[in-house]
Amino acid sequence: MFAACFDCPGGPENVYMKEVMKPHPGEGEVLVRVSASALNRADLLQRSGKYPPPKGASDILGLEAAGTVAGLGPGCTGQWKIGDAVMALLSGGGQAQYVAVPEGHLMPIPKDMTFIQAAAIPEAWLTAFQLLHFVGKVQEGETVLIHAGASGVGMAAIQLARLAKAIPIVTAGTQEKLKATADVGAAAGFNYKNEDFSEKVLEFTQGSGVDIILDCVGGSYWEKNLNCLRTDGRWIIYGLLSGGEVHGDLLVRLLSKRASIHTSLLRSRDKEAS
């Protein structure tokens, strides 16, 4: 089969199609013939040499894919059959013609959804769901600040927060991105490039701050995050786009608000946790 590969870290020009061995589904695995795969920031970081795949994961890029069931490994429970349309959460390997997937990492594709649409769901939407519900334990009426609101995870988190009857507000870097977030339900949006989002958040919340922050930025945002986090609030870090180094009285500020920091990664979880 063909797969998208790269021999040395670098830019997109290093990626090429290469003929590799077609995977065989192992115990409890399903072979999927891939029709579409999405591109995640983790793929870009891995291609750049900054994010090695977890132990045992494929070196081929692609953390999610959509396609049809093409084979069943030994020990499968019978929930899938040949020809089923499925979308898959992967630890790697999605940017290829075939990928072997633990059967529990597959989801049926709704009848009115295309393969291209379905391929963009598993990684982003499951990340957003676990951040909001498993980690953040979002409650009705709470206000959630979502950084990178127009990203895949951000757009999913806005809609999931609305479904939970919470109030999503976002940051983004352009007016076009802020409009896109408003179109899917963001109650407010702030351009971090030309305004202090922490001041705008406090203004929006009438000084009380937000209950939850979904933060993929990291180090450079810590002061503003704590400035606009409500007492007893939850700050959830799932990325470090600005790096992880912090200078200042982080713990003093955190303690003064009785706030908590949580961290989360989806890709590094084992099969059972995923």
Side-chain angles (χ1 to χ4, degrees), residues 43-220:
D43 296 313
L44 305 182
L45 291 172
Q46 182 176 329
R47 187 200 66 211
S48 301
K50 300 175 182 177
Y51 188 12
K55 185 178 179 180
S58 172
D59 290 331
I60 298 169
L61 301 175
L63 302 184
E64 53 194 342
T68 53
V69 173
L72 301 170
C76 285
T77 60
Q79 64 185 114
W80 306 108
K81 63 182 186 299
I82 304 298
D84 281 347
V86 293
M87 48 187 170
L89 177 68
L90 309 169
S91 59
Q95 294 175 18
Q97 288 180 292
Y98 292 89
V99 63
V101 189
E103 62 178 345
H105 290 194
L106 294 175
M107 295 165 281
I109 297 177
K111 294 187 183 300
D112 59 347
M113 185 177 289
T114 68
F115 285 126
I116 291 175
Q117 291 170 329
I121 287 180
E123 180 72 19
W125 283 76
L126 290 176
T127 295
F129 189 90
Q130 60 127 5
L131 293 175
L132 281 170
H133 291 280
F134 296 163
V135 182
K137 303 188 186 312
V138 64
Q139 301 295 312
E140 181 177 344
E142 289 189 323
T143 303
V144 183
L145 173 60
I146 303 165
H147 291 310
S151 66
V153 172
M155 296 288 271
I158 293 166
Q159 296 168 76
L160 290 170
R162 283 294 186 189
L163 285 173
K165 298 182 179 179
I167 304 165
I169 59 178
V170 304
T171 63
T174 68
Q175 290 307 120
E176 290 77 14
K177 289 180 178 180
L178 290 175
K179 181 181 184 306
T181 64
D183 289 344
V184 297
F190 313 112
N191 188 330
Y192 66 86
K193 291 182 178 179
N194 56 29
E195 54 190 350
D196 185 329
F197 72 78
S198 69
E199 292 180 359
K200 293 294 184 180
V201 167
L202 288 171
E203 184 180 319
F204 177 83
T205 59
Q206 298 181 326
S208 62
V210 296
D211 300 281
I212 298 174
I213 298 175
L214 302 189
D215 179 19
C216 58
V217 178
S220 66

Side-chain angles (χ1 to χ4, degrees), residues 218-256:
S220 66
Y221 273 12
W222 80 266
E223 288 184 280
K224 291 180 181 179
N225 279 338
L226 285 177
N227 188 47
C228 66
L229 186 64
R230 185 192 297 265
T231 300
D232 295 317
R234 290 93 78 197
W235 172 15
I236 303 169
I237 301 171
Y238 69 100
L240 298 171
L241 294 178
S242 72
E245 194 168 337
V246 170
H247 299 282
D249 292 329
L250 168 63
L251 296 181
V252 172
R253 296 282 303 281
L254 193 70
L255 185 62
S256 70

Side-chain angles (χ1 to χ4, degrees), residues 19-40:
E19 192 165 2
V20 299
M21 289 291 294
K22 179 180 173 181
H24 294 281
E27 183 74 23
E29 290 187 331
V30 173
L31 183 67
V32 175
R33 185 181 187 280
V34 177
S35 295
S37 180
L39 185 66
N40 285 272

